Amino acid sequence: MTGFDGRNADLEQVLAEARLRYAQRRPRSAAHDREAQASMPGGNTRTVLHHGPFPLTFLRGEGARLWDADGLEYRDFLGEYTAGLYGHSNPVIAEAVEHALRDGIVLGGRNRHEGELAALIRARFPSCELIRFCNSGTEANLMAIGAARAFTGRDAVLVFDGAYHGGVLSFAGPSPVTAPYPFVSVPYNDAAGAVEAIEREAGRLAAVLVEPMMGSAGAIPGDPVFLAALRAATARHGVALIFDEVMTSRLSPGGLQGVLGIAPDLTSFGKYLGGGLSFGAFGGRRDILERFDPRRAGALAHAGTFNNNVLSMAAGAAGLSRVYTPERAADLNARGDRLRDALNAAGRATGVPVLATGIGSILGLHVQQGPVRRPADLTTPPAVRELLHLEMIERGFYFARRGFLSLSIETTDRDCADFAAAFREVLSDWGALLGSTS
Ligand code: PLP
């Protein structure tokens, strides 16, 4: 049962048929799944990529398109959860990587790209007076938390219910996998509640860790008043405000902090800033980051074999300097805003309660009534998400089952119009099952 009122029986039947159709058209992806299951738990090494009946195996990508093992073509609306901002074959990125490869990898010393990339990020994010690189967004957040703890001499971290900040920093519920810091968790977008918690816990609070828009958790924008209240309360109590801009840094040339006019003490980065290769970085106030200056007595250590890996540094620098210009950022995010409007319009036109959320090129697609101010407000039944996902895949559009979309600079207006038309068709076909109000 899905908990989706009296129409569940039909929904289950339609779902069973959709799963069967999906499986029948994809015998090679099914074979890859079976092969992987022999060596990896559930055939999986990255939880978010698992979905039933089995995930697609991709063989190739070009521009904003993907081809699976069965030769089927998809328009890519997942954009590798925002890391794929440059698409699959950007010539500037490819050239930078090929050049770096020719010059030799794993050099074991400083390379000529890391200083350039750090300067490019600093120029876009003035709150980051100094930057350090690491390997992932998860690591960036762990290091930002560590920096805040060292700087403040306190140990606890305030986070928000349902937030996602990385593989060991997930707050959707208690998990033994979560890093064992003393966390205090409060509802997102509740300014008064968060300020009260900061004041109550100030004596032991090193940091407040927050995404200015919750990304993975549903593309839920932070209320500017809420975020400003966090800034004021943390400043009053000497608590470090960490903006996790791993996803949101793409939403303007200077990320969401640039749009909001809020300077956090620390910022974590990841995803596309490595040009599509593995990447993480954290930056912030000079007096906090200087603790890592190895010339200083008692400097904090921050190791990592691949912190400055030459491929990510070269690709990231090429991307930020020559591809994702401020004009390109404006263009991409305007396209995302138009797509969001079109998806919401499809809901209105078909009488299905659709909520396309997010900002700019990051979208959440929910089939429910609003408002959604925090993850607990997300009530779209899993069976509805599954049907929508399978039906859109059937029509050649790839995105995350949880309803997460991000655009790449290769996504065209035509792609977006086609996606919106296919979405509207699914709503028309299955409106009664998906929750039509008409
Ligand atoms: N922070 C946010 C907001 C994220 O969305 C993610 C990944 O999705 C991370 C951190 C973790 O980044 P990574 O997967 O590179 O460890």
Side-chain angles (χ1 to χ4, degrees), residues 136-139 141 164-167 211 216 244 246-247 271 279:
S136 68
T138 304
E139 227 183 294
N141 279 319
Y164 182 76
H165 297 286
E211 271 190 288
S216 289
D244 178 344
V246 166
M247 279 196 173
K271 307 283 191 194
F279 179 80

Side-chain angles (χ1 to χ4, degrees), residues 109-155:
R110 176 177 295 159
N111 62 63
R112 64 197 160 93
H113 305 291
E114 60 200 76
E116 184 193 358
L117 180 54
L120 287 163
I121 297 175
R122 272 185 66 215
R124 296 243 178 140
F125 297 84
S127 72
C128 295
E129 295 175 296
L130 293 171
I131 310 267
R132 289 184 73 85
F133 295 116
C134 50
N135 295 284
S136 68
T138 304
E139 227 183 294
N141 279 319
L142 289 172
M143 290 309 303
I145 288 171
R149 283 161 55 104
F151 187 75
T152 60
R154 306 175 194 157
D155 66 348

Side-chain angles (χ1 to χ4, degrees), residues 182-202:
F183 288 110
V184 179
S185 186
V186 296
Y188 193 69
N189 271 334
D190 173 5
V195 169
E196 192 272 323
I198 292 167
E199 282 167 356
R200 190 184 64 235
E201 305 286 345

